[in-house]
Amino acid sequence: MALALALPPPPPPPPFSQPPKLPQKSLCCRCSATSQQEEIISSSAQLNSLKYRPAVILPGLGNNTSDYEKLKFTLNGYGVPTVVANVSRIDWLRNAAGLVDPNYWRGTLRPRPVLDWYLKRVDEAVNEAKELAAGGTLSLIGHSAGGWLARVYMEEFGLSHISLLLTLGTPHLPPPKGSSGVIDQTRGLLNYVEQNCSKAVYTPELRYVCIAGRYIQGARLFDDSNVNPGSGVHVDIEEPNSEVAVLNATSTSTPVSPTFRARFIGQGYKQVCGQADVWGDGVVPEVAAHLEGALNISFDGVYHSPVGSDDASRPWYGSPAIVEQWIHHLLN
C-alpha cells in the first residue's frame, strides 16, 4: 500500500561530515585536586547549558532508521539529544494489511490498526527521549509521511510532553476531490488526519513548523508552454504566520523547462495536490507541505529525501547546511 510517493534506490549517501563541536575546557594536569574539580564542574555546566530538549525523528515512507544517522549526528553536535524511531524498510510491507480492509477500496482508510506498528515504534522512541528530557518537553521531527503520522501519534497518545512538531517535506493535505486523473495514494488516511487530528495552532506551549522544499518545478504532461522558473529563498520570521515565508529572488533551484523529467515529476505532484506545474522538493509539492496555522517556511534548492541526496549538489532537509537554517526552532 502506498502512503506517499516512493523513490528509486539511489547510490549510498556520502560519508559523514563533522558536526559543530561543543566547546570544552581542557583540564591542566598541574592543577590541584580542588582546582581540577572546579574545572570539571565548570566544563559540565557549559555542556549542560548547550544541551537542549531532546528530539525524536519519525522516518518517512520507505525510509529506515539508518537513513537519519547523519541528521542525528548533526543535531547531537548542536547539543540536541536525538532518538530515531526504530523502522526498517521491510517494516513498511506491514501496510499491505490495509488491502484486506474494505475502507482501503472505498478510500476511507483509517490509521489504526493498519499503522499501529509504526505508532508503537514512535511511542518507544518518545519514551526513550522522555528519559533524556528528565521531566522536560521534547520535539518531534517528522520527515515526509512521518510528519502527518506524528499528528496521529499526538492525537492518540497525547501531547503534554511535546512542545514542537517540525515537519520536513510532509504531505499534510489530502488531494482535492474530483480532480481528473488524481488517485488518493493514502486511500483516505490524509482525509482522516485532516478531519480528526487537532488543527495546527502555533503557541508558545506547542509550536508547529512546516518546512517545504523548492527543488524542482513540475510541468503538465501535455502542455508545451514554458514553465516559469520562479524561485523561493528562506526568510526568517519572528511571528507565526500561516502563509509561507518565501520571497522571489534569483534562483538556485534546478532550472526547469518542460522536459521529460519535469513532466514525470509533475505527475507525481499532481497526485498529491491536484496540480502538476507547481514547485516542490521532487516528491512533495510545496503547497501540500504547508499547514494552515503553522509557521510555514520554504527553502530553495532542497531535495526531499536523504536517500539520493548530496550535501553539495542536492542537499535534503537534513543536510548540515540546511539544518543550520532551521536548528534555531529546536534551540528556542
Side-chain angles (χ1 to χ4, degrees), residues 164-300:
L164 169 68
L165 172 60
L166 186 144
T167 64
L168 306 171
T170 291
H172 284 290
L173 307 177
K177 296 180 179 179
S179 297
S180 176
V182 175
I183 299 175
D184 180 6
Q185 298 180 56
T186 71
R187 305 309 301 151
L189 289 174
L190 283 177
N191 277 308
Y192 175 91
V193 172
E194 185 177 54
Q195 295 170 11
N196 296 277
C197 290
S198 300
K199 303 301 180 184
V201 180
Y202 190 108
T203 66
E205 294 74 29
L206 176 57
R207 292 172 295 140
Y208 289 82
V209 179
C210 301
I211 300 177
R214 291 166 64 87
Y215 176 74
I216 186 171
Q217 185 175 9
R220 297 179 183 178
L221 190 59
F222 300 112
D223 186 355
D224 293 327
S225 61
N226 291 329
V227 179
N228 177 17
S231 74
V233 293
H234 168 70
V235 179
D236 192 15
I237 56 180
E238 299 296 332
E239 298 295 331
N241 193 323
S242 61
E243 296 182 358
V244 56
V246 62
L247 292 180
N248 291 325
T250 302
S251 177
T252 58
S253 300
T254 307
V256 179
S257 60
T259 60
F260 173 79
R261 182 188 183 207
R263 296 178 194 280
F264 178 79
I265 289 175
Q267 291 311 295
Y269 290 166
K270 182 178 179 180
Q271 297 304 311
V272 180
C273 71
Q275 188 173 348
D277 52 349
V278 294
W279 278 96
D281 61 15
V283 175
V284 175
E286 178 184 21
V287 65
H290 289 151
L291 192 59
E292 183 179 357
L295 173 58
N296 294 315
I297 303 169
S298 289
F299 288 107
D300 193 35

Side-chain angles (χ1 to χ4, degrees), residues 91-138:
D91 280 331
W92 293 102
L93 296 177
R94 298 167 182 261
N95 293 347
L99 293 171
V100 300
D101 189 332
N103 288 307
Y104 177 91
W105 305 103
R106 289 194 289 261
T108 56
L109 193 63
R110 301 165 66 93
R112 310 191 73 173
V114 66
L115 286 166
D116 277 351
W117 70 270
Y118 186 96
L119 298 175
K120 180 181 178 182
R121 304 292 177 83
V122 173
D123 194 48
E124 292 169 353
V126 166
N127 287 330
E128 182 178 346
K130 286 168 71 175
E131 294 184 9
L132 298 174
T137 61
L138 53 89

